[in-house]
Amino acid sequence: MRQAVTSEVPALATAAEYFFKVGAEGKRMRPTVLLLMASALTDLSSGGADALSRARAASVPDDTRRRQQRLAEITELIHVASLLHDDVLDSAATRRGLRALNLEVGNKLAILAGDFLLARASVTLASLRNTEVIELLSRVLEHLVTGEVMQMTAKPERLMSFDHYFQKTYFKTASLIANSAKAIVLLGGHDTETASHAYDYGRHLGLAFQFQDDVLDFVGSGSVLGKPTLGDLKEGIATAPVLFAAEEHPQLSALIERRFKHVGDVELAHDLVKRSDGIERTKELAREHSALAVKAVEALPSIDCPHALRCRKGLKELAHMAVNRIK
Ligand code: FPP
Ligand code: MG
Ligand code: MG
């Protein structure tokens, strides 16, 4: 991946490499999920290979595995590009425990570095020579932008709607991992039904992950998360904890509709959320989607390969981690 983000123009190289440096790579949740999904469907025990050659098969990528690895790299490139743009839009000061790139190099170069990562992702995507996969990942880009613009421009009455919140959450967070999971399975030569289970896993995992993110924005620690808390309220965004809290405290509606813009709104909304079941109900929502992600793994076609089964266990563990994490 570090090779994929080099440039001969020094300023571009520095900016593009920023979140790929040692210690700045984040959780690498998406590539981990995708490679586990690829391996969860790969039968290494076929052909009667002994333990040693099976281990070699796992570490020496064949052409299919190499293409799947590229897809995982593309997904991470798109993710980091979207974070670079997001931090400009949000005027963020920190990301992954570092100064946000926009603070380091300014908004203009940060945006261009994001464009550059997208360009590198596009070149790699084209090299896969698979139009369905290209279409899936291109659709994800459309979703990321649509979700962001929905969040930015929603009319006041839409801000109160769970439908709007769910759709935006799918576009901004779940679409990337859902469609990439589908794509990596298609690259593995598996059928569309298997690909659709992978999509379901990614969608539910992404939703669970985001709901937990929305919880952590209220109850997490800024230093553990590597980014400030109460960021959503400060940005004028009502997430699930606030929407649930508004059912108990109707006075929240006015604050949501004016995007917490008046002096004291953020503090009052925070206080009302704390004095409601909003956090607990959002956690419950996250747990429901985590359980659906586990079900999607269980729906994958049966396989008699210990390595694939271990990877399935890993996918299920990640679904649990998504909702039990503190960072
Ligand atoms: C983080 O959200 C942001 C995203 C998940 C996607 C943002 C999408 C764009 C900026 C559109 C441009 C897309 C591309 C592909 C360049 P957040 O601000 O809620 O979360 P945070 O707390 O991590 O900042
Ligand atoms: Mg942000
Ligand atoms: Mg944002």
Side-chain angles (χ1 to χ4, degrees), residues 150 152-160 164 257 259:
M150 276 173 77
M152 213 160 74
T153 61
K155 297 233 158 29
E157 61 277 11
R158 295 290 290 151
L159 293 172
M160 286 292 296
H164 177 268
E257 291 184 358
R259 290 181 179 261

Side-chain angles (χ1 to χ4, degrees), residues 169 173-175 177-178 200-211 293:
T169 304
T173 310
S175 173
I177 190 65
D200 287 344
Y201 173 79
R203 191 172 83 86
H204 291 301
L205 180 75
L207 291 173
F209 189 88
Q210 187 58 51
F211 298 143

Side-chain angles (χ1 to χ4, degrees), residues 176-198:
L176 175 60
I177 190 65
N179 284 296
S180 295
K182 180 174 176 182
I184 209 159
V185 169
L186 292 175
L187 285 176
H190 305 286
D191 59 29
T192 51
E193 195 187 332
T194 306
S196 106
H197 293 312

